[in-house]
Amino acid sequence: MVIPVHDVNPARRTPWVTYALILANVLVFLFTPGMTGSVTGGGSLAQMCDQQAFLDHWAAVPQELLQHRMPRLVPTGAVGIGPQGPGCVVAPPGYDKSPELSVLTAMFLHGGWLHLLGNMLFLWIFGNNVEDRMGHLPFLLFYGVCGYAATYGFALLNADSAEPLIGASGAIAGVLGAYLVLYPRARVWVLVPFLIFLPLRLPAWLVLGFWFVLQAVYSSGGAVSDAGTVAYVAHVVGFVVGMLIAWPLRRGTPPPPEPRGLLFGRRARPGW
């Protein structure tokens, strides 16, 4: 997978909403129980039980979204000893939860540093231009619509799942889909792992098109053994919804500046 680091597509105005979303995601992550202690979000049994209780309260769960009811038993955050050894204590929920609102709160939760930083990197690179084209408030509404569509799309295809669904990936996938429609010829600097990280400057349609194809393949489980651990279907749905919403804005979108030189490498050859 290529790693984008920068796009050659300056925005005309400050992307305040993009900055605010990144800040909100980071702050929520810092206050999520047990998440800041490791790269992956793992930890002790007590931390895991605390995380499970927090996520069951605030994350989106497909069964809850489609059935509009809470489960009988949820983790309390405490650790207990049962017939099979130590584990997380479960009890009837002591709180009311709105499944619809949980979609919004889940969009600001992440399962570890890598999950958070990966999402924020894509939002940082591609969000500013989409916000610039749409305007601040419309972009915020667009972000939310893509996130909701991605979550409900995943839920409809995984109606029996009781696993918490978290992350901004679905909403950010919508941003990527919109960017592909609005700025397909913009150049994006990427790092390609080939013995070393090789810097290349590629067109956005290639970078984002390749990303979308990978998500579609992964969503079918055809290329990975643990496709169920990541909500690739949500990525696909969010991306398509973002493309559809942005399509009417194609006309009138200023083209990105034409790059000088080669599309790859450190040195450029004029006239390419």
Side-chain angles (χ1 to χ4, degrees), residues 10-19 127-139:
R12 298 168 299 172
R13 47 189 166 183
T14 304
W16 294 115
V17 173
T18 298
Y19 292 164
N128 61 337
N129 294 107
V130 178
E131 179 181 347
D132 189 32
R133 180 65 182 92
M134 292 184 173
H136 302 307
L137 181 57
F139 175 74

Side-chain angles (χ1 to χ4, degrees), residues 102-208:
S102 71
V103 178
L104 178 62
T105 56
M107 290 166 57
F108 293 90
L109 301 175
H110 291 84
W113 280 109
L114 294 180
H115 189 198
L116 172 71
L117 295 177
N119 276 344
M120 295 305 101
L121 174 64
F122 277 81
L123 181 57
W124 173 271
I125 294 172
F126 300 106
N128 61 337
N129 294 107
V130 178
E131 179 181 347
D132 189 32
R133 180 65 182 92
M134 292 184 173
H136 302 307
L137 181 57
F139 175 74
L140 181 61
L141 295 174
F142 164 82
Y143 185 90
V145 167
C146 290
Y148 266 81
T151 301
Y152 273 97
F154 178 86
L156 289 171
L157 295 175
N158 297 271
D160 296 328
S161 175
E163 293 295 321
L165 182 64
I166 60 174
S169 305
I172 295 172
V175 173
L176 303 186
Y179 192 101
L180 176 61
V181 167
L182 297 174
Y183 305 102
R185 297 182 179 179
R187 306 303 180 182
V188 181
W189 279 103
V190 300
L191 296 177
V192 179
F194 183 75
L195 299 180
I196 60 172
F197 282 101
L198 182 65
L200 302 176
R201 192 171 66 189
L202 304 173
W205 66 263
L206 181 59
V207 175
L208 298 180

Side-chain angles (χ1 to χ4, degrees), residues 30-94:
L30 293 177
F31 286 98
T32 300
M35 288 299 184
T36 60
S38 71
V39 173
T40 61
S44 66
L45 177 60
Q47 289 177 324
M48 184 184 71
C49 293
D50 200 16
Q51 290 171 17
Q52 284 188 0
F54 183 86
L55 294 180
D56 271 47
H57 188 173
W58 299 107
V61 179
Q63 280 187 351
E64 296 174 7
L65 292 176
L66 299 182
Q67 299 175 9
H68 299 281
R69 63 184 181 186
M70 290 281 292
R72 280 192 318 109
L73 300 174
V74 297
T76 64
V79 177
I81 306 295
Q84 299 179 350
C88 299
V89 176
V90 296

